[in-house]
Amino acid sequence: MSWTYQKIGHMFRNVSSVSRSTPVAAPRRPQAPSTAALPRRLYRSSVGKKAVMAVTGGILVLFLVGHMLGNLKVFLGRADFDHYAHWLRTIGEPALPHRVFLTIMEAVLTVAVILHMWSAVSLARRARQARPVRYAVRPKAQEHRYATHVMRYGGIIILLFVIWHLLDLTFGVVNPKSGGAEPYDKVVADFDPSRWYITVFYVIAVVMVGLHLKHGLWSAFQTLGWGRQRRYRGLHLFADVVAALLVIGFVAVPVMVTIGVVK
Amino acid sequence: MKLTLKIWRQRNAADKGRMASYELDDVSPDMSFLEMLDVLNERLIIEGDDPVAFDHDCREGICGMCSLVIDGTAHGPQRATTTCQLHMRHFKDGDVITIEPWRASAFPVIKDLVVDRSAFDRIIQAGGYVSAPTGSAPEAASIPIPQADAHDAFDAATCIGCGACVAACPNASAMLFTAAKITHLGLMPQGQPERYGRVTAMVDQMDAEGFGGCTNTGECTSVCPKGIPLETISRLNADLLKATAKG
Ligand code: HEM
Ligand code: SF4
Ligand code: FES
């Protein structure tokens, strides 16, 4: 295909009452096929960054589903729950050394979180620069989707929560029990009725995750190119159901400990 | 009807600009919004003031020249309607109406309510065309196109390039506009040879112009006077990711 014709450039707008002060730049030639490595090509465009966010977000969602199912083992009793926690460290043995699988998982999740946030921050900065002067009348949201409007600030709350959560139940730094205590004991001590405010904090954070996913899951399909008018209802329903199930599943454990059902 | 208009006044691109207030006493509900502004401007001219500059051309909803963010909504309160087709019967006696230009760094204000939308022209120039030599029109049925594709392509082709999508987007993203053209040409057999080069070039240009990225809020579609659907954006995403994977 020859590119000569594109020099013509298609002006499609009438220039009326006011003459334009900015000259129209010479038409750009479409890029020669880029030889840059795939990650760099992806990261060059706003759309590529969004795709990175969708894929890493998807990895995190899969993790959350597994994590939630694991948490629910608390209801099967101390032995089941602690056994499950130990099993996580022995996956793949004897082919894999002790804790190798878990370490790989942790590394993947860490990289996913970093890439996800990196894209989010970079796109948020681009958006801020794209509208330097704000509207005097706050634009009315035509689409009344609360979840959509709390993605960025909600994301920051989720991040703070994740840090607290790791210090709490993974490392035991802010847990009444030490890091080396049995998982079941740590959970029960953490959400003791006297520490109801910790439970409230967890519930708020998990609801934020739910809101994040209500928009995020649907958005990820749209970002990866599967969004079509005829699928939107189904995709929204899917996102809402997954988000709701995750919220219920995650909230169940701390709440049940605090009201004394799990001791 | 009596109205109070709060209008953004800005002498030129360098001016800082400010909101100015005007009272209009005798507005007919049958006037279009732009006719209402014409009446104001006639008065300003008689009083020796500078008339309010605003963009317009066809005044029948097809050219894409008119703009205006009216009370926080691009093209005003009526859905799927350009400002020029909006009528004063949608307002009440005594209303205070705030009128602002499109706000985006890629659309700098030229004067008052007029912004420079040539960034859109450059996005189109980057790839929004098919490089077909235009001889005489070919035999109509010589290139079969599935009915559904023809419909979707036609829907996308109705974009008039007004820029309301950018104005309404919380990220000032130009995705709906760009995606409308990608969808229009990408669904047509004639658009296939340049399909992947086109999407890369147009998205590059869109980013270079300083528009924000899309976060799928859907604000664009709901203000779009032509109802360009959100799925065009997903089609663009699919094409861009394929193009990126191909290198
Ligand atoms: C449990 C952890 C998290 C999960 C499971 C998750 C999941 C997701 C998913 C699936 C998306 C959709 C991607 C797309 O729109 O294509 C998304 C978007 C996003 N995430 Fe997260 N995320 C998490 C943590 C965070 C954190 C810590 C931040 C903080 C910076 C954040 C900020 C964002 C932003 C700004 C978006 C884009 C919003 C939009 O499209 O409007 N996320 N997330
Ligand atoms: S997509 Fe709609 S709102 Fe955006 S420029 Fe085209 S017609 Fe205007
Ligand atoms: S003036 Fe032509 S579309 Fe409004």
Side-chain angles (χ1 to χ4, degrees):
Chain A
M1 176 56 59
S2 129
W3 294 108
T4 28
Y5 292 106
Q6 56 111 355
K7 284 260 171 64
I8 298 159
H10 290 216
M11 291 297 298
F12 70 110
R13 179 191 306 292
N14 302 322
V15 174
S16 74
S17 47
V18 179
S19 69
R20 304 280 159 182
S21 55
T22 321
V24 174
R28 286 164 32 118
R29 319 180 123 258
Q31 317 268 315
S34 166
T35 49
L38 180 69
R40 285 198 53 191
R41 289 202 309 268
L42 256 185
Y43 235 74
R44 202 181 59 187
S45 77
S46 57
V47 176
K49 282 186 187 136
K50 201 59 204 304
V52 170
M53 224 168 13
V55 171
T56 52
I59 293 172
L60 295 174
V61 170
L62 290 179
F63 160 73
L64 286 187
V65 171
H67 186 12
M68 181 201 72
L69 293 176
N71 286 0
L72 294 178
K73 290 217 167 230
V74 159
F75 294 112
L76 299 181
R78 172 190 295 274
D80 266 308
F81 187 65
D82 287 346
H83 179 234
Y84 160 75
H86 288 293
W87 168 77
L88 285 178
R89 285 150 184 80
T90 60
I91 299 173
E93 281 181 27
L96 289 176
H98 186 67
R99 221 186 175 288
V100 163
F101 178 83
L102 196 63
T103 307
I104 293 173
M105 288 298 293
E106 286 165 353
V108 169
L109 290 175
T110 308
V111 171
V113 168
I114 289 170
L115 288 178
H116 191 82
M117 281 176 27
W118 185 9
S119 311
V121 169
S122 142
L123 286 172
R125 281 177 53 186
R126 166 175 269 282
R128 220 185 17 250
Q129 286 159 2
R131 173 152 306 130
V133 182
R134 310 212 155 212
Y135 290 107
V137 176
R138 195 159 174 261
K140 281 197 208 80
Q142 305 290 315
E143 304 292 316
H144 300 280
R145 297 193 191 129
Y146 179 69
T148 310
H149 298 284
V150 295
M151 290 303 278
R152 287 178 189 143
Y153 295 112
I156 294 170
I157 295 177
I158 296 171
L159 176 68
L160 294 177
F161 167 72
V162 168
I163 293 172
W164 171 271
H165 181 58
L166 289 176
L167 290 176
D168 182 1
L169 288 163
T170 306
F171 301 113
V173 179
V174 293
N175 191 281
K177 303 274 173 181
S178 75
E182 288 297 319
Y184 190 91
D185 290 331
K186 282 198 275 191
V187 169
V188 171
D190 202 18
F191 304 114
D192 188 82
S194 66
R195 286 163 54 91
W196 56 271
Y197 46 90
I198 297 287
T199 305
V200 170
F201 172 49
Y202 266 74
V203 169
I204 292 171
V206 167
V207 169
M208 289 311 304
V209 173
L211 281 175
H212 196 83
L213 294 184
K214 179 179 161 57
H215 174 70
L217 267 178
W218 171 80
S219 178
F221 285 106
Q222 170 84 356
T223 299
L224 294 176
W226 294 309
R228 291 294 177 275
Q229 225 60 34
R230 62 176 188 283
R231 294 187 200 140
Y232 282 151
R233 279 187 56 176
L235 289 178
H236 275 298
L237 189 71
F238 173 76
D240 293 356
V241 167
V242 171
L245 288 179
L246 280 173
V247 170
I248 295 168
F250 274 118
V251 160
V253 175
V255 167
M256 289 304 170
V257 173
T258 304
I259 65 175
V261 176
V262 175
K263 311 194 194 28
Chain B
M1 307 198 278
K2 263 182 182 260
L3 293 176
T4 304
L5 304 176
K6 296 197 164 160
I7 302 180
W8 181 257
R9 301 303 309 263
Q10 182 174 341
R11 264 188 292 277
N12 51 45
D15 183 17
K16 258 194 74 195
R18 73 209 146 79
M19 294 303 273
S21 202
Y22 303 93
E23 309 282 335
L24 271 189
D25 287 338
D26 205 13
V27 177
S28 153
D30 296 328
M31 283 178 183
S32 77
F33 200 85
L34 297 186
E35 283 164 347
M36 183 270 296
L37 288 179
D38 290 339
V39 169
L40 170 70
N41 275 347
E42 278 164 16
R43 195 185 83 198
L44 291 179
I45 292 168
I46 291 171
E47 291 171 354
D49 263 342
D50 197 16
V52 178
F54 60 88
D55 258 331
H56 62 103
D57 191 22
C58 70
R59 298 210 180 189
E60 51 188 29
I62 54 172
C63 75
M65 267 317 272
C66 61
S67 56
L68 308 187
V69 171
I70 302 167
D71 287 337
T73 306
H75 286 306
Q78 212 189 3
R79 282 212 167 196
T81 305
T82 54
T83 295
C84 60
Q85 293 285 290
L86 175 69
H87 284 80
M88 296 314 293
R89 55 179 161 271
H90 297 288
F91 298 88
K92 297 190 308 291
D93 186 42
D95 273 358
V96 180
I97 306 175
T98 306
I99 309 173
E100 297 174 80
W102 290 170
R103 293 287 188 202
S105 59
F107 286 166
V109 173
I110 297 172
K111 183 174 184 199
D112 297 337
L113 302 169
V114 177
V115 299
D116 179 351
R117 286 169 284 185
S118 55
F120 269 12
D121 296 338
R122 292 187 292 273
I123 293 176
I124 295 294
Q125 283 172 322
Y129 49 81
V130 289
S131 303
T134 49
S136 55
E139 171 64 32
S142 62
I143 308 176
I145 300 174
Q147 183 82 23
D149 289 353
H151 274 301
D152 287 348
F154 195 82
D155 281 350
T158 59
C159 166
I160 53 177
C162 63
C165 41
V166 174
C169 175
N171 308 302
S173 169
M175 277 287 268
L176 195 66
F177 165 79
T178 309
K181 192 51 64 195
I182 293 293
T183 301
H184 164 204
L185 299 178
L187 283 168
M188 295 280 110
Q190 295 90 334
Q192 297 314 306
E194 290 148 309
R195 183 167 175 181
Y196 296 102
R198 170 186 309 122
V199 71
T200 314
M202 287 180 78
V203 168
D204 276 356
Q205 186 66 33
M206 179 182 87
D207 286 345
E209 296 288 351
F211 292 105
C214 173
T215 55
N216 301 325
T217 65
E219 295 294 324
C220 49
T221 317
S222 47
V223 299
C224 173
K226 299 297 153 182
I228 301 294
L230 211 54
E231 72 167 34
T232 57
I233 292 181
S234 203
R235 289 184 190 272
L236 178 152
N237 291 336
D239 277 9
L240 186 92
L241 292 176
K242 254 180 238 159
T244 306
K246 286 177 175 198

